[in-house]
Amino acid sequence: MDFSYSDEQRMLSDSLEKLFTAHNTAAGGGTAAQADKLWQACAETGLIGLTVPEDHGGLAGSSADVMVAAIQIGRHAVQAPFLSTAVAGAGALRLAGSDAQQAQYLPALAEGALKVACAFGEPDARYDLADVDTRAAAQGDGYVLNGAKSVVFGGDDAGLLIVSARAPDTERHDQSGLSLYLVDADADGVERTAYALTDGRGAADITFNDVKLPATALLGAQGGGYDIIEAVSDLAAAAICAEALGALEKVIGLTKEYLGTRRQFGKTLGEFQVLQHHLADMVLEYEHMKSLVYEAGALAGSDDTVARQQAVSAAKVVVAEEGRRICQQGMQMHGGIGLTEEFQLGQFVKRVAVADFAFGDADHHIARYGGHMARAAAAAFGETEGHHG
Amino acid sequence: MDFSYSDEQRMLSDSLEKLFTAHNTAAGGGTAAQADKLWQACAETGLIGLTVPEDHGGLAGSSADVMVAAIQIGRHAVQAPFLSTAVAGAGALRLAGSDAQQAQYLPALAEGALKVACAFGEPDARYDLADVDTRAAAQGDGYVLNGAKSVVFGGDDAGLLIVSARAPDTERHDQSGLSLYLVDADADGVERTAYALTDGRGAADITFNDVKLPATALLGAQGGGYDIIEAVSDLAAAAICAEALGALEKVIGLTKEYLGTRRQFGKTLGEFQVLQHHLADMVLEYEHMKSLVYEAGALAGSDDTVARQQAVSAAKVVVAEEGRRICQQGMQMHGGIGLTEEFQLGQFVKRVAVADFAFGDADHHIARYGGHMARAAAAAFGETEGHHG
Amino acid sequence: MDLTHSSEDIDFRNEVRAFLDAEFPQELAEKARTETRFKRDDYILWQKILAKKGWIAPHWPKEYGGCGWTPVQLNIFDEELTGVGAPRVMPFGIRLVGPVIYTYGTDAQKAKYLPRILSSDDFWCQGFSEPGAGSDLASLRTSAVREGDEYVVNGQKIWTSYAQYADLIFCLVRTDPDAKKQLGISFLLIDMKSPGVSVRPIHTLDGSHIVNEVFLENVRVPVENLVGEENKGWDYAKFLLSNERTGIAGIGMIKADLALLHKIALTERRNGKPLIEDPLFQARLARLEINRRALELTNLRMLTTGGDSGMFPSILKIKGSQLQQRSVELQMEAVGPYALPWQSDAMEPSWNGTPVGPQHVRARAPTYFDRRKTTVYGGSTEVQKNIISKTLLGS
Amino acid sequence: MDLTHSSEDIDFRNEVRAFLDAEFPQELAEKARTETRFKRDDYILWQKILAKKGWIAPHWPKEYGGCGWTPVQLNIFDEELTGVGAPRVMPFGIRLVGPVIYTYGTDAQKAKYLPRILSSDDFWCQGFSEPGAGSDLASLRTSAVREGDEYVVNGQKIWTSYAQYADLIFCLVRTDPDAKKQLGISFLLIDMKSPGVSVRPIHTLDGSHIVNEVFLENVRVPVENLVGEENKGWDYAKFLLSNERTGIAGIGMIKADLALLHKIALTERRNGKPLIEDPLFQARLARLEINRRALELTNLRMLTTGGDSGMFPSILKIKGSQLQQRSVELQMEAVGPYALPWQSDAMEPSWNGTPVGPQHVRARAPTYFDRRKTTVYGGSTEVQKNIISKTLLGS
């Protein structure tokens, strides 16, 4: 039982701290050229290939290592597509890719030459990853893809899309009908509407109109997509929780600083007991959240699906609910200044707001956690009958 | 639009204030003799016959008048069975009784000579009033009753029980199979286990074993019981909300007083900003609750079933949730003393705890309110289809 | 006790509805429907229509152009207007400085300003807050030094809503630097076109531009622009702030927000059902509705009984601002992943890009951030709770 | 970073389980199952079994009888014991006064008291709080005046848990009435059988009798019962209270509460389904479980890293006491109308009335009221938040 960073993790964290400080990421996304430069620098530190196997040019890092990196990304409000490429994209290729596919894509990914985005969500699906209406029909040796994906993280400038689609003869929510396909983002019939998310990072809605795919586009087994989709989504959820944790550390730090300096009615704000207790509440919830985010980081890559889902959902619920509350309290205690674009609090608050609604909201994860809980309870005590009779 | 008491209501409230103060009800239930004396005094002021029609010896008061009385009952922690006899019992007889039945029972009720209890709840039914397993089978001219009722308010010493039971050939949850029956509490086959509720008032679990009932025992139409049961339950729910409101006024008053006098760290507690704000929160929620309790009182007797249910459920949800929170905060601010039997805070807190779980808990009423809300929304905007496609 | 509306009130509501059916401009209705941000011309257009009807300042005394309506009628009026999505009547002239002028102003000031407030020919803004003086308003430092028939004003105001549209600003200024905090303050009317006045926009987290910094550098203001007595400005400010607070529960707005929320919750689906039928979301929504109900009743109770005590405005302000926030928070929750794309620009009338998702998702995240201000301005929640507990416990 | 238990820890857990299987008395298990209140003999019975095994004071230094376990093992031990419903080891001797004696006591005191604490031959209670000194402990007024070889003690203690069972009480007394608040206090050990000591029960809202008032009238206490130096008692009290706080998160208890809650939620039904499958109840329960998970991890994080700062005990105390309350609150909600019958007496071993409803409903309302104390004692939530904010902001 050890909650502290390993030496390697500490080094990773320190090097990212230096890198992001040097690139002044907290000032916003910057120009395209600046973003490219940062991305290359990230590749050079090994960040992009963090979870890529060593023989494909990566560091073979764990989900806990991803967490360490993501905390720094959140603390520095980095807008680079780490989550979509290095966590989700690399995760899907690692988990489902054939040797040939891994060899084809992972080295380029780790070098920063290939951005990847996972396109799982659909306009009407909310957070149900099995609710897929995009269809891949067999045609000749390959497939033809039709459908629409929405709010694809990193979809704005990814070169490779990993798309969930179902066999045409399967029903809308049937998990076993799902497969994953590798799609060149510049292929004919791929159309994307790019936009920024609340925290400034890029995303897209993407439609596929008769997109022709070769046989080699299939990622993993035919009909075996759902488990991969869930696993990748959990990797992303755990990472965005860690990002939020880093951002919340800043929200609390800024608030603490403001309370210590801003004066009103002849005192610093920090001398008002009500504000002291609000700050104490923020820290209280933050520390408990931190433990859950650590656990989610540790288990996000676990083979034990139930343990993984419980840990990720627990962290996600608390990040969504308490994270939102901490941000609201932080804004409130800053007064007007906390609501301006100019002051840096806003970008951290917006970062947390994205974590709130990405990869399943609180209701989604409370239901998933509750389902596991109910099953475990039933197994422990056995189903019982009405007792009063 | 007028939220103030009428002159008659003010007189009723004042006379009860005097009566309960004179009988020192806030000191507890007292001896049986003291309780009898109080009950007779209540009858003499007209309290027990408050809603009984004038030609049966009552005051023909409205549900708003019941609310006015119930607030005083809560403020003075009166344990007399007002709710079971004067609200629920009288309500059921008024709403469903034939002329003969009303003439037979209501005058005795109003005089304080007959206590009545409504036995609707069952051991396995939780708050579902249609979930009735007690059965009344036709036999000769009359019926034979079998079943069990639980947590019957006033069931400990009522002379007359009003029992919900279903026709033997109807299914467990079928509303249309329900009827009401008047049962002599001393009849053969009636067995009761009497006990006190958390706030000290009397209740009972009651079983019926082949209890023979005459034809005249049927109250209201055969199979028409459910609407009456719901209406009576709403009368009781509105009244217990008003009781809780009165008790909460005391909880807040005692807390305010304590904050003003108790000293710690060289100051009165009331000088600590955090405690000031806790008190402000209590009052803030109390004032909003008060408005809802008033509305529930005004509409509890309404013929507009939807309006009645919405108003009662709204009040009940807030009394349960915010009432509990106010009590917790009140106990917390009193520290140890607030948790002792000796100090009077406890009995008001326990009063509110009974209102919390009687006649439907927060989940029950939030679902009822939510159902009306969803239906109204659908009617206003029309059912729509998935929109993103 | 009678909690129903009288037949007079019902007639009145119908009269307002008929007026709105006939007179509320189609173009404004369309902007409201698409959640496009109103601009200066939109406000003026609507205010002039209300002025023509004689309904621009209903709560003013009749002699100055008011309507003589009961508090309940004023409430109905507010509800119906916000119900159709009408731009809110800018409060700065009508609700704030107008009553100060007709209560404390000279005849000349009344004659000069009141008609132009009613006609919306002058657009006003409010110069109270300063960088170092937010909730602690009385610590303000903008100075006005008398030189002959003029005051020379120097200082800075902040959080000035719509200063970019304004013709005039009413300011609190310090005229006696030696007096104790509240005692040396005066209430001054300043032409925004005066030399030395400059406005710097403050962009807020929601991506909009409403508030500003206003810089005052050697601004010369005629002494006739002083309202009431010199160094008595704090009294007028307190009078003005008490008017500000009563309208701030925002019940009309909350009802409009909830109507939109219902619409969204009927459209969005979870587990194959409309969100409004999802047990968790329905319970949250029902709780919010019940709170709205409680606020509305409490507001009416206060209006009809005059309030039990001085803490009622604070009680309404706290609950009202909470619900104004909570309703848009649930709107945001309702659209799920579509809360993520940032489409604040799509709310600008001039925007012509490609929107993401259906109409109803665009304003969700920006509106969530925008509403955070409601617990900060007009006396923060913390300040209101101080007021309540002071009323309860003495001080 | 490695969040799994080591194999040593797993072995240890199995060892504890094996011991409990073999040694936890059936009669105590039955009392736990039926939620019957433990009495003096129950506590002593169990403590003597633990003492025989050598596990009665595992966190003490080995030289005094401790086990040398790691913090994680101590945690496992606590979890397993509460998991089977074992009576909690009374903290007054083992957790509170024992460490004070072996840290600050004389050799004679160590020799006299420590063995009898370990063997449970002495039952201790704690005399800190006074009627006018709750959270503000240092304002205590019980006086001890030196007369020859004795102190003469006069005063009153309150909220003294289990004073009715106690052989000895450790007290804070004021030995220097002129010194500033914290400076004139001493730490005294008093025999409860001394003339002048009397105990008055305080009955609490849950219907139980745990706490008492203890009156001290001209009680003569030998000077050798002074611990450490005269007027330095505040330091020892602080040391003692810091020990009190670390155990107070009550994770073992929360887990046991949740196990019972699961059982109830599987049994009780709503809309034809077990309550644990009801969306609203399930979400509440899941939220509580997630909080329990967070508390447990945070506790382990603190134990293994030594805590990031001085605020950790307060963080654990606040969250722990909240969850200790919340879990029994949900237990009460789970039984619905059966939360109404008041059956506190049915929790007494001597009771022989007719219970209402099934076994699991009886203790619900009393336990709800009993648990309200957890946010009051051991430093109230408000005091803990003061500590946290002081750590964050300085003071």
Side-chain angles (χ1 to χ4, degrees):
Chain A
M1 183 80 50
D2 180 8
F3 283 81
S4 38
Y5 284 5
S6 67
D7 290 342
E8 290 76 15
Q9 288 170 337
R10 198 164 301 115
M11 277 170 56
L12 171 65
S13 183
D14 291 347
S15 71
L16 293 179
E17 170 77 31
K18 276 186 207 124
L19 176 68
F20 299 146
T21 305
H23 283 259
N24 195 17
T25 53
T31 63
Q34 286 169 326
D36 280 349
K37 219 174 121 191
L38 173 64
W39 190 245
Q40 277 315 314
C42 288
E44 281 153 29
T45 61
L47 179 62
I48 305 175
L50 186 57
T51 68
V52 169
E54 288 177 346
D55 48 4
H56 295 307
L59 297 178
S62 68
S63 57
D65 298 332
V66 168
M67 181 200 83
V68 170
I71 288 174
Q72 284 294 11
I73 283 168
R75 290 183 71 235
H76 291 272
V78 176
Q79 292 181 3
F82 169 74
L83 192 78
S84 44
T85 294
V87 180
L93 288 165
R94 254 193 309 114
L95 291 172
S98 65
D99 289 348
Q101 285 168 329
Q102 296 203 19
Q104 183 180 355
Y105 295 112
L106 286 176
L109 182 152
E111 278 168 21
L114 175 68
K115 289 178 185 160
V116 183
C118 292
F120 297 163
E122 300 208 351
D124 283 326
R126 206 170 176 89
Y127 297 109
D128 182 352
L129 295 166
D131 186 354
V132 168
D133 205 26
T134 297
R135 276 150 214 277
Q139 199 183 55
D141 269 356
Y143 311 90
V144 58
L145 189 69
N146 279 288
K149 297 289 174 177
S150 65
V151 196
V152 177
F153 273 63
D156 56 322
D157 68 351
L160 178 69
L161 303 173
I162 301 176
V163 182
S164 62
R166 64 171 58 262
D169 56 343
T170 62
E171 298 212 17
R172 179 82 174 265
H173 292 265
D174 178 11
Q175 295 177 4
S176 67
L178 291 174
S179 309
L180 290 171
Y181 299 89
L182 299 167
V183 181
D184 183 337
D186 295 325
D188 281 350
V190 176
E191 264 178 63
R192 41 185 169 182
T193 306
Y195 49 83
L197 302 182
T198 297
D199 62 1
R201 73 178 108 191
D205 279 17
I206 307 176
T207 55
F208 304 95
N209 300 308
D210 288 330
V211 179
K212 309 261 180 307
L213 304 176
T216 53
L218 180 68
L219 182 73
Q222 183 77 41
Y226 186 72
D227 288 347
I228 306 296
I229 292 167
E230 265 212 321
V232 170
S233 190
D234 277 348
L235 288 172
I240 209 163
C241 284
E243 285 187 8
L245 186 76
L248 286 164
E249 187 193 324
K250 296 293 284 186
V251 169
I252 291 172
L254 288 167
T255 304
K256 192 180 116 172
E257 200 181 309
Y258 191 74
L259 290 185
T261 51
R262 167 82 175 176
R263 298 183 70 82
Q264 219 164 52
F265 302 106
K267 305 196 242 184
T268 63
L269 290 184
E271 291 176 68
F272 289 91
Q273 195 192 19
V274 160
L275 304 187
Q276 289 169 2
H277 282 210
H278 287 336
L279 181 67
D281 286 334
M282 291 165 74
V283 169
L284 176 74
E285 296 304 337
Y286 167 82
E287 289 294 345
H288 284 98
M289 185 192 303
K290 185 173 180 174
S291 305
L292 291 174
V293 171
Y294 275 28
E295 189 190 36
L299 295 180
S302 169
D303 293 336
D304 180 341
T305 312
V306 171
R308 182 196 83 206
Q309 293 191 358
Q310 284 178 324
V312 170
S313 286
K316 194 70 182 55
V317 166
V318 172
V319 165
E321 295 185 340
E322 296 304 329
R324 195 194 296 176
R325 223 165 331 209
I326 289 171
C327 289
Q328 290 174 348
Q329 201 57 263
M331 288 187 277
Q332 179 72 17
M333 291 209 275
H334 273 86
I337 190 81
L339 303 175
T340 64
E341 280 284 0
E342 257 166 282
F343 188 64
Q344 55 175 327
L345 184 75
Q347 64 186 320
F348 296 110
V349 158
K350 286 185 168 176
R351 192 103 195 164
V352 179
V354 168
D356 198 338
F357 294 105
F359 312 115
D361 62 3
D363 279 358
H364 177 83
H365 284 284
I366 205 87
R368 192 169 78 161
Y369 193 95
H372 284 303
M373 178 184 77
R375 282 186 291 276
F381 296 110
E383 293 285 355
T384 58
E385 294 157 39
H387 61 290
H388 295 286
Chain B
M1 184 79 52
D2 180 9
F3 283 81
S4 38
Y5 284 7
S6 67
D7 290 343
E8 290 75 15
Q9 288 171 336
R10 196 164 301 115
M11 278 170 55
L12 171 64
S13 183
D14 291 347
S15 72
L16 293 179
E17 169 78 31
K18 275 185 209 125
L19 176 68
F20 299 146
T21 304
H23 283 258
N24 194 18
T25 54
T31 64
Q34 286 169 326
D36 279 349
K37 222 175 118 191
L38 173 63
W39 190 245
Q40 277 315 312
C42 288
E44 280 154 29
T45 60
L47 178 61
I48 304 174
L50 186 56
T51 68
V52 169
E54 288 177 347
D55 48 3
H56 295 308
L59 296 178
S62 66
S63 58
D65 298 332
V66 168
M67 180 200 84
V68 170
I71 289 174
Q72 285 293 11
I73 284 168
R75 288 183 71 234
H76 293 271
V78 176
Q79 293 181 4
F82 170 75
L83 192 78
S84 45
T85 294
V87 181
L93 289 165
R94 254 192 310 115
L95 291 172
S98 64
D99 290 348
Q101 286 168 329
Q102 297 203 19
Q104 183 179 355
Y105 296 113
L106 285 175
L109 182 153
E111 279 168 18
L114 176 68
K115 288 179 186 159
V116 184
C118 292
F120 297 163
E122 301 208 349
D124 283 326
R126 205 169 176 88
Y127 297 110
D128 182 352
L129 295 167
D131 185 356
V132 169
D133 204 27
T134 298
R135 277 148 212 279
Q139 198 182 56
D141 270 357
Y143 310 90
V144 58
L145 187 70
N146 278 288
K149 297 289 176 178
S150 65
V151 196
V152 176
F153 273 64
D156 55 322
D157 68 350
L160 178 69
L161 303 172
I162 301 177
V163 182
S164 62
R166 63 171 57 263
D169 57 342
T170 62
E171 299 213 16
R172 180 83 175 264
H173 292 263
D174 178 10
Q175 294 177 4
S176 67
L178 292 173
S179 308
L180 289 171
Y181 299 89
L182 299 166
V183 181
D184 184 336
D186 296 324
D188 281 351
V190 176
E191 264 179 62
R192 41 186 171 183
T193 307
Y195 49 83
L197 302 182
T198 297
D199 63 359
R201 73 178 109 193
D205 279 18
I206 308 176
T207 54
F208 303 96
N209 300 308
D210 289 328
V211 178
K212 309 260 181 304
L213 303 175
T216 54
L218 180 69
L219 181 73
Q222 183 77 44
Y226 187 73
D227 288 347
I228 306 296
I229 292 167
E230 263 212 322
V232 170
S233 190
D234 276 348
L235 288 172
I240 209 162
C241 284
E243 286 187 6
L245 186 76
L248 286 164
E249 187 194 322
K250 295 294 284 185
V251 169
I252 291 172
L254 288 166
T255 304
K256 192 180 116 170
E257 203 180 308
Y258 190 74
L259 291 185
T261 49
R262 168 80 175 179
R263 300 182 69 83
Q264 220 163 49
F265 302 104
K267 305 197 242 184
T268 63
L269 290 185
E271 291 175 68
F272 290 91
Q273 195 191 18
V274 159
L275 304 187
Q276 290 170 2
H277 282 211
H278 287 336
L279 182 66
D281 286 334
M282 290 165 75
V283 169
L284 176 73
E285 296 304 336
Y286 168 81
E287 288 294 345
H288 284 99
M289 185 193 303
K290 185 173 181 174
S291 304
L292 291 174
V293 171
Y294 274 30
E295 188 190 37
L299 294 180
S302 169
D303 294 335
D304 180 341
T305 312
V306 171
R308 181 195 84 206
Q309 294 191 357
Q310 284 178 324
V312 169
S313 287
K316 195 69 181 54
V317 167
V318 172
V319 164
E321 296 185 338
E322 296 304 328
R324 194 193 296 175
R325 220 160 338 203
I326 289 171
C327 289
Q328 290 174 349
Q329 201 56 263
M331 287 187 276
Q332 179 72 17
M333 292 209 275
H334 273 85
I337 189 80
L339 302 175
T340 64
E341 280 285 1
E342 258 165 282
F343 188 64
Q344 54 176 325
L345 184 75
Q347 65 187 319
F348 296 109
V349 158
K350 286 185 168 176
R351 192 101 195 165
V352 179
V354 167
D356 198 338
F357 294 105
F359 312 115
D361 63 1
D363 279 358
H364 177 83
H365 284 284
I366 206 87
R368 193 170 77 159
Y369 193 94
H372 285 302
M373 180 184 76
R375 283 187 290 277
F381 297 109
E383 295 284 356
T384 57
E385 296 157 39
H387 62 291
H388 295 286
Chain C
M1 189 165 307
D2 175 10
L3 273 51
T4 54
H5 281 291
S6 68
S7 63
E8 290 80 6
D9 290 340
I10 292 165
D11 291 346
F12 176 77
R13 191 187 289 276
N14 289 332
E15 189 188 348
V16 177
R17 283 186 182 169
F19 162 72
L20 290 170
D21 282 347
E23 302 284 346
F24 184 55
Q26 190 52 42
E27 59 180 290
L28 297 184
E30 182 59 15
K31 280 193 168 184
R33 193 189 66 76
T34 56
E35 299 188 75
T36 304
R37 294 190 181 108
F38 292 123
K39 299 293 167 181
R40 186 183 201 277
D41 290 350
D42 301 318
Y43 292 111
I44 305 280
L45 168 64
W46 177 233
Q47 290 181 190
K48 283 189 177 286
I49 292 169
L50 286 172
K52 194 172 146 218
K53 177 78 178 172
W55 285 0
I56 186 67
H59 57 286
W60 284 20
K62 271 194 150 173
E63 48 179 314
Y64 295 116
C67 300
W69 293 341
T70 64
V72 172
Q73 288 175 320
L74 287 168
N75 201 53
I76 291 170
F77 182 68
D78 173 53
E79 226 173 271
E80 293 299 324
L81 262 61
T82 43
V84 298
R88 69 182 188 128
V89 172
M90 289 283 107
F92 313 103
I94 299 288
R95 292 199 73 93
L96 301 180
V97 78
V100 171
I101 291 173
Y102 67 63
T103 308
Y104 300 104
T106 62
D107 287 344
Q109 287 169 338
K110 291 182 200 176
K112 179 170 177 187
Y113 296 114
L114 296 182
R116 294 179 59 84
I117 287 174
L118 292 171
S119 66
S120 298
D121 287 329
D122 286 340
F123 199 120
W124 284 83
C125 65
Q126 172 178 15
F128 279 18
S129 291
E130 297 189 4
S135 290
D136 181 11
L137 191 54
S139 67
L140 62 89
R141 290 186 306 193
T142 294
S143 71
V145 178
R146 177 91 180 242
E147 286 186 11
D149 284 349
E150 292 177 330
Y151 289 103
V152 180
V153 181
N154 277 287
Q156 183 193 343
K157 297 293 175 181
I158 197 169
W159 314 126
T160 314
S161 297
Y162 302 108
Q164 73 271 35
Y165 297 160
D167 304 299
L168 288 147
I169 182 170
F170 55 93
C171 281
L172 291 180
V173 295
R174 189 162 295 284
T175 36
D176 181 351
D178 302 322
K180 272 203 196 152
K181 257 182 153 187
Q182 284 89 345
L183 299 180
I185 291 172
S186 298
F187 195 108
L188 218 52
L189 313 178
I190 303 178
D191 190 328
M192 289 291 282
K193 288 179 290 292
S194 313
V197 177
S198 58
V199 174
R200 197 184 76 87
I202 298 174
H203 294 278
T204 42
L205 280 188
D206 59 310
S208 77
H209 166 212
I210 293 174
V211 290
N212 302 274
E213 292 180 285
V214 177
F215 297 91
L216 302 152
E217 275 185 281
N218 293 316
V219 179
R220 305 193 81 86
V221 181
V223 290
E224 70 244 32
N225 285 17
L226 176 74
V227 177
E229 293 179 51
E230 202 178 74
N231 297 331
K232 289 273 172 72
W234 187 252
D235 294 341
Y236 316 140
K238 277 202 302 192
F239 168 81
L240 176 150
L241 290 173
S242 73
N243 290 332
E244 187 181 32
R245 245 172 235 137
T246 51
I248 221 162
I251 292 164
M253 187 197 269
I254 294 165
K255 291 180 92 160
D257 288 337
L258 285 174
L260 174 60
L261 179 50
H262 282 169
K263 225 164 148 177
I264 297 175
L266 280 162
T267 309
E268 295 285 338
R269 302 176 83 81
R270 183 167 181 249
N271 297 334
K273 285 188 300 191
L275 202 54
I276 203 168
E277 291 170 26
D278 175 74
L280 292 181
F281 195 85
Q282 184 184 87
R284 279 205 294 283
L285 183 49
R287 231 167 235 117
L288 176 58
E289 281 277 351
I290 289 170
N291 267 291
R292 187 271 309 155
R293 194 180 186 100
L295 178 67
E296 205 177 333
L297 287 163
T298 307
N299 186 49
L300 288 167
R301 183 154 71 86
M302 180 196 136
L303 293 175
T304 54
T305 63
D308 293 332
S309 87
M311 67 191 172
F312 255 96
S314 297
I315 285 175
L316 294 171
K317 164 67 163 72
I318 294 174
K319 194 64 143 186
S321 54
Q322 279 171 355
L323 301 191
Q324 287 173 55
Q325 293 182 338
R326 186 72 185 139
S327 56
V328 301
E329 201 172 338
L330 284 201
Q331 287 173 354
M332 180 169 68
E333 290 176 4
V335 302
Y338 275 102
L340 297 171
W342 185 252
Q343 305 189 67
S344 181
D345 287 348
M347 298 171 73
E348 291 296 322
S350 57
W351 187 75
N352 63 356
T354 310
V356 181
Q359 168 62 49
H360 69 249
V361 311
R362 290 173 216 167
R364 300 290 62 81
T367 305
Y368 166 75
F369 284 105
D370 178 45
R371 285 290 171 81
R372 301 317 304 172
K373 69 189 177 195
T374 60
T375 47
V376 169
Y377 68 30
S380 69
T381 296
E382 288 74 21
V383 166
Q384 304 296 347
K385 288 187 184 173
N386 286 345
I387 294 171
I388 294 172
S389 56
K390 214 166 174 173
T391 312
L392 294 166
L393 294 166
S395 71
Chain D
M1 188 165 309
D2 174 10
L3 272 53
T4 54
H5 281 292
S6 67
S7 63
E8 289 81 6
D9 291 340
I10 293 166
D11 291 347
F12 177 76
R13 190 185 292 276
N14 289 333
E15 188 188 351
V16 176
R17 283 186 184 171
F19 162 71
L20 290 170
D21 281 347
E23 302 284 345
F24 184 55
Q26 189 52 40
E27 59 180 288
L28 297 183
E30 182 59 15
K31 281 194 168 185
R33 193 189 66 74
T34 56
E35 300 189 74
T36 305
R37 295 191 180 106
F38 292 123
K39 299 292 168 184
R40 186 183 200 278
D41 290 348
D42 301 318
Y43 292 112
I44 304 281
L45 168 64
W46 177 231
Q47 289 180 190
K48 282 189 178 287
I49 292 169
L50 287 172
K52 194 173 146 218
K53 177 79 178 173
W55 286 359
I56 186 67
H59 56 286
W60 283 22
K62 271 193 151 176
E63 49 179 312
Y64 295 117
C67 300
W69 294 341
T70 65
V72 171
Q73 288 175 321
L74 287 168
N75 201 53
I76 290 170
F77 183 67
D78 174 52
E79 226 173 270
E80 293 299 323
L81 262 60
T82 45
V84 298
R88 70 182 187 126
V89 172
M90 288 283 107
F92 312 104
I94 299 288
R95 292 199 73 92
L96 301 180
V97 78
V100 170
I101 291 174
Y102 66 63
T103 308
Y104 300 104
T106 61
D107 286 345
Q109 286 169 338
K110 290 181 200 175
K112 177 169 178 190
Y113 296 113
L114 296 182
R116 294 180 59 83
I117 287 174
L118 291 171
S119 67
S120 297
D121 286 329
D122 285 340
F123 199 119
W124 283 84
C125 65
Q126 171 178 18
F128 278 17
S129 291
E130 298 190 4
S135 290
D136 181 12
L137 190 55
S139 66
L140 62 90
R141 291 186 306 196
T142 294
S143 70
V145 178
R146 176 90 181 244
E147 285 186 11
D149 284 350
E150 292 179 330
Y151 289 102
V152 180
V153 181
N154 278 287
Q156 184 193 344
K157 297 292 176 180
I158 197 169
W159 314 126
T160 314
S161 296
Y162 301 108
Q164 73 271 34
Y165 297 159
D167 304 298
L168 288 146
I169 182 169
F170 55 94
C171 281
L172 290 181
V173 295
R174 190 163 292 286
T175 36
D176 181 351
D178 303 322
K180 274 204 195 149
K181 257 183 151 185
Q182 285 89 344
L183 299 180
I185 291 172
S186 297
F187 195 106
L188 219 52
L189 312 178
I190 304 177
D191 190 329
M192 290 291 282
K193 288 179 289 293
S194 313
V197 177
S198 59
V199 174
R200 196 185 76 87
I202 298 174
H203 295 278
T204 42
L205 281 188
D206 58 310
S208 77
H209 166 213
I210 293 175
V211 289
N212 301 274
E213 291 179 286
V214 176
F215 298 91
L216 301 152
E217 275 184 281
N218 292 317
V219 179
R220 306 193 80 87
V221 181
V223 288
E224 70 244 32
N225 285 17
L226 175 74
V227 177
E229 293 178 49
E230 202 178 75
N231 297 331
K232 290 273 171 70
W234 187 251
D235 294 340
Y236 317 140
K238 277 201 301 190
F239 168 81
L240 177 150
L241 289 174
S242 73
N243 291 333
E244 188 181 32
R245 247 171 235 138
T246 50
I248 222 162
I251 290 164
M253 188 196 269
I254 294 165
K255 290 180 93 159
D257 288 336
L258 285 175
L260 174 59
L261 178 51
H262 281 169
K263 224 164 149 176
I264 297 175
L266 280 163
T267 310
E268 295 286 338
R269 301 176 83 81
R270 184 167 181 249
N271 297 333
K273 285 189 302 192
L275 202 54
I276 204 168
E277 291 169 26
D278 176 73
L280 291 181
F281 195 85
Q282 183 184 88
R284 279 206 293 284
L285 184 49
R287 231 169 235 115
L288 176 58
E289 281 277 352
I290 289 170
N291 267 290
R292 187 270 309 154
R293 195 179 185 100
L295 178 68
E296 205 177 333
L297 287 164
T298 306
N299 186 48
L300 288 167
R301 183 154 71 87
M302 180 196 136
L303 293 175
T304 54
T305 64
D308 294 333
S309 88
M311 67 192 173
F312 255 97
S314 296
I315 284 175
L316 294 172
K317 164 66 165 67
I318 294 174
K319 193 64 143 188
S321 54
Q322 279 171 356
L323 301 191
Q324 286 173 56
Q325 293 183 338
R326 186 73 185 139
S327 57
V328 301
E329 201 172 339
L330 284 201
Q331 287 173 354
M332 180 169 69
E333 290 176 5
V335 302
Y338 275 101
L340 297 171
W342 185 253
Q343 304 189 70
S344 181
D345 287 348
M347 297 170 72
E348 291 295 323
S350 56
W351 188 76
N352 64 356
T354 310
V356 181
Q359 167 61 50
H360 70 248
V361 310
R362 290 172 216 168
R364 299 291 62 81
T367 304
Y368 166 76
F369 284 106
D370 177 45
R371 284 292 170 81
R372 300 318 302 173
K373 70 189 176 194
T374 60
T375 47
V376 169
Y377 66 31
S380 69
T381 296
E382 289 75 20
V383 166
Q384 304 297 348
K385 288 187 185 172
N386 286 346
I387 294 171
I388 295 173
S389 56
K390 214 167 175 174
T391 311
L392 293 167
L393 293 166
S395 72

